[in-house]
Every structure is written in structure tokens, then in C-alpha cells.
Amino acid sequence: MAQDNSTKRIAVIAGDGIGKEVIPQALEVIRASRSNVEFTEFDWGADRFLRDRTTVPPDGFSMLGRDFDAILAGAFGDPRVKTNIHAKEILLGMRFKMDLYANVRPVRLLDAALCPLKNVEPKDVDFVVIRENTEGVYTDAGGIFKQGTPDEIATQEDINTRKGVERIIRYAFDYCEQHTKLDGSPRRRVLMCDKSNALTHAGSLWQRVFKEVAAEFPQIETQHMYVDALCLQMVRDPGQFDVVVTNNMFGDIITDLAAGLQGGLGMAASGNIHPGKTSMFEPVHGSAPPIAGKNVANPFGAILTSAMMLSHLGFTQEAARIEAAVLDAVRQRKTTQDIGGTLGTREAGAWIAERVGHD
Ligand code: ATP
């Protein structure tokens, strides 16, 4: 999106658990960056649901699309809501009903000390996973029959449409063409990850579309890997990856593994994007009930997510300053305990805000 002078309107939905702790830190950092944005906060989440049974108010998704330039979300999930219905309706609702079809998850190692692998440097972990976000096994197609009997049957359909597969693969190629690595070198290769040796029907569609779309981008190298092989390779030699495109479920799983390479779930950022529409940005981690409310959650995933959002809105310099401050904090161990520091959530966030404010 090109930079313009208008104030960008951001809907903020902190949600549940550690979302309520990390998002306020992200907001402080954005304020310190002096980006021309204004926030409107929404109380959607478990507390609201338990109070009045509202998950998303009527017209909620249209309102977000109409009145805001971007959404910054925290996490959704609470042990008091056993069905997790509110999380499903809010988070999957935004992804599906607002048609945010590209889940973009950058995987970057900021400091060698954060990686559990031996002899891996930041230059070896700098790839991005583009996950299909609106189809696959997450559409809830299927059902349970003869529940509670010995003959019970459960089916979960894997939905893959020509349109859905084509647009996510094209997004990956466009992304590869338009983005550079952290060191400034161009991105060169799109790898498609599937399980087409076993899931042959869906695999056939993905394979055919990948070849067709790749032909439009002759300057970009292509590669294919089965998802099981990819998991092994990600641990053995993460430096070989550049842009990875995959379906909803494989993208969900491999990005948790990828988060491990960059220092854990507390470090991973993501965007849920539909080019030209209001998009939603959220850290990869969830509500993490065991650590919620203790001021120990790492706010850097949420802070890096806010940098990703600012960059998407055209505030590229502000985003770069925030990323530089996080890098500094990691190097100086001004971090929470999960990545080797001694600070609490608020203190780590305040350190970044202070640093960004002085830039
Ligand atoms: P949800 O059901 O909302 O997905 P979850 O607890 O199942 O929540 P995550 O929130 O992704 O899944 O977290 C799993 C574990 O990873 C947490 O219990 C916590 O130990 C760790 N973790 C996740 N996010 C963070 C963070 N920001 N800082 C520190 N540790 C984290």
C-alpha cells in the first residue's frame, strides 16, 4: 500500500489470556513510533462472551471491513469456555468471512542464541510461509454420525477450490517477486509443500495449479516437497527455504515448528491478508492459559506483528525502527525469560517503546 498522509484507523481486539498482556505493549510501541494511526479497542473475547453471550456483534465483520484500515488481534481461547466457540467465531470468522486468504508468517532468526539448532546463524533462518487461510480441513465440512455408539463415524472434509488454490499460489509468487531477505538480497524461490503422494485428489489440483502459475513467473525458481520431508529439512538445513506455500493445516503445523527455529512461539508474527481489503495481524501464539496474567509472556511476537501491520499500511520506516529495537533488545538480553532475559512482559515492552521513542 502506498504511503499517504491520512490517519490509518486500526481496530484492536486483544482477546483472551496473554493477548490482553502483549497487545497493550504493542500499542505502546506503535504510539512511541509516532505512526499516524488511531486505535479503536473492542472487547470481543471470553469475558464478553461469558457476560452476554456475544461472540461477534451483529454486523461486526462488515463494520471492521468498512470502518478500519487494519485489525490488530491478540489471542482467543479461555478454559472457562469449554467449546471455544467464541474463539472460533471471532478468529476463524475474521479469516473466513472477511476472506483473508493469505496467512503470511515470516520466519526470522534474530540472534543465533535463540535457535535450538547448533551452528545456525541469523542468515540461515530467513524464510516466509504463505499459508492458505480460508479452505482445507478448517471449513467445518463433514459431520458426526451415530455419535456415542460403537458405530460412530466422523468425517472432516478437505475443501480445495480451484480459485482458492490459484490465488494463494499466485500470492506466494507475487510475494517472492516483491520482497527481499533481511540482508537485502532478492527472494528467488517458491517451494510448494503438500502431501500429494497420499492426498492424491487435492494434491493433483495443487500440483497442476502450481505449474500453471509458475509459468507466469519464469524468473522465480520452483521446488516441491512433501510436508513430512519438509519438517525434517527445516531442522536439518533451514537455510534452503525462501518462500513456502502450503495449505491451511500444513501451514498451521509447520509454522509452529518454524517458530521453534526463531526462539519459540513468543517471537513469531503473522498477517492475515487479502490484498486491497482490511487485513488482520496477530502473533502466531495463542492465549497460553498456563502463563496468562503473570507478566511473563513474551510481547515481541505481538510487537513484530505490529511492525508487519505498519509496513503493510505504508509506515515502512516506523516498522523498520521497531524491528531494529527488537533486535537490539534480543542482543542485549532485554527480554522475557522464555528467550533468556529477566524482564516481565510490561518491562520488555517498555524497553522497546523507550528505544523506539528515542530514535
Ligand atoms: P490457544 O488455545 O489459545 O492456542 P495454547 O496454550 O494452546 O493457547 P499457545 O498460546 O500457542 O497455545 O502456547 C503454547 C505454549 O507456548 C504456552 O503455554 C507457553 O508455554 C508458550 N508460549 C506461547 N506464547 C508465548 C509467549 N508469548 N511468551 C512465552 N511463552 C509463550
Side-chain angles (χ1 to χ4, degrees):
M1 206 175 283
Q3 173 104 46
D4 60 41
N5 292 327
S6 65
T7 304
K8 300 292 181 202
R9 298 153 304 165
I10 298 174
V12 179
I13 315 173
D16 306 327
I18 62 170
K20 289 194 283 195
E21 296 175 82
V22 297
I23 292 300
Q25 299 311 314
L27 298 187
E28 280 310 305
V29 171
I30 299 174
R31 285 190 189 102
S33 76
R34 300 181 297 278
S35 305
N36 186 11
V37 298
E38 63 183 27
F39 302 121
T40 306
E41 300 196 40
F42 293 89
D43 65 353
W44 306 357
D47 289 341
R48 168 85 186 265
F49 176 70
L50 290 168
R51 211 167 51 238
D52 66 10
R53 299 279 134 187
T54 303
T55 55
V56 177
D59 193 40
F61 296 125
S62 335
M63 176 271 298
L64 290 176
R66 190 183 55 232
D67 297 344
F68 293 94
D69 296 295
I71 304 158
L72 181 63
F76 302 91
D78 187 304
R80 294 172 299 167
V81 185
K82 295 273 175 285
T83 57
N84 234 8
I85 178 73
H86 72 294
K88 203 168 170 185
E89 290 195 7
I90 299 169
L91 190 58
L92 292 188
M94 279 191 279
R95 290 180 183 165
F96 282 62
K97 296 197 173 136
M98 300 180 76
D99 201 28
L100 305 178
Y101 68 86
N103 190 345
V104 178
R105 297 185 162 191
V107 184
R108 292 170 175 170
L109 176 63
L110 296 183
D111 189 273
L114 298 187
C115 187
L117 303 180
K118 282 180 285 193
N119 305 322
V120 170
E121 300 292 326
K123 68 171 173 41
D124 302 321
V125 182
D126 182 5
F127 60 95
V128 61
V129 177
I130 311 283
R131 165 190 174 192
E132 202 294 319
N133 217 19
T134 55
E135 303 193 340
V137 290
Y138 291 63
T139 58
D140 232 5
I144 294 189
F145 309 101
K146 302 184 184 175
Q147 187 168 359
T149 75
D151 298 324
E152 182 163 348
I153 302 165
T155 63
Q156 198 88 44
E157 299 289 340
D158 183 8
I159 307 295
N160 297 267
T161 67
R162 166 86 205 191
K163 175 183 157 192
V165 173
E166 187 176 330
R167 69 182 180 174
I168 194 67
I169 290 176
R170 180 163 285 111
Y171 187 95
F173 278 94
D174 282 337
Y175 186 98
C176 186
E177 200 171 53
Q178 291 161 15
H179 289 77
T180 57
K181 294 191 163 204
L182 273 184
D183 66 9
S185 63
R187 295 207 173 272
R188 296 181 192 286
R189 190 179 334 128
V190 177
L191 179 154
M192 185 178 75
C193 158
D194 65 19
K195 186 67 187 163
S196 50
N197 48 351
L199 308 176
T200 51
H201 309 306
S204 159
L205 176 63
W206 279 76
Q207 292 279 344
R208 281 181 280 121
V209 174
F210 186 62
K211 280 203 185 77
E212 280 174 35
V213 176
E216 297 169 26
F217 297 85
Q219 73 288 8
I220 296 177
E221 290 169 37
T222 58
Q223 198 183 349
H224 170 259
M225 227 178 248
Y226 296 127
V227 64
D228 41 350
L230 180 128
C231 290
L232 177 67
Q233 290 302 323
M234 212 184 261
V235 174
R236 268 205 172 149
D237 177 19
Q240 68 186 287
F241 297 108
D242 195 345
V243 177
V244 176
V245 62
T246 192
N247 71 17
N248 207 338
M249 183 166 69
F250 297 151
D252 188 1
I253 297 169
I254 66 174
T255 51
D256 261 39
L257 175 60
L261 298 175
Q262 50 183 150
L265 281 169
M267 293 300 291
S270 86
N272 298 267
I273 294 171
H274 185 131
K277 289 194 182 180
T278 303
S279 294
M280 185 267 282
F281 297 81
E282 52 164 345
V284 170
H285 66 73
S287 59
I291 62 166
K294 297 180 177 159
N295 195 38
V296 298
N298 183 348
F300 290 179
I303 290 170
L304 290 168
T305 296
S306 61
M308 202 175 163
M309 177 184 74
L310 290 178
S311 176
H312 179 82
L313 292 173
F315 300 107
T316 45
Q317 285 173 10
E318 290 83 348
R321 274 166 42 218
I322 293 172
E323 286 176 353
V326 173
L327 178 59
D328 237 24
V330 168
R331 286 189 177 144
Q332 296 186 41
R333 294 285 174 277
K334 301 291 182 191
T335 72
T336 45
Q337 291 175 17
D338 56 309
I339 54 168
T342 55
L343 300 184
T345 309
R346 288 188 292 275
E347 293 70 25
W351 194 92
I352 303 285
E354 166 90 10
R355 165 82 164 63
V356 169
H358 276 115
D359 273 349

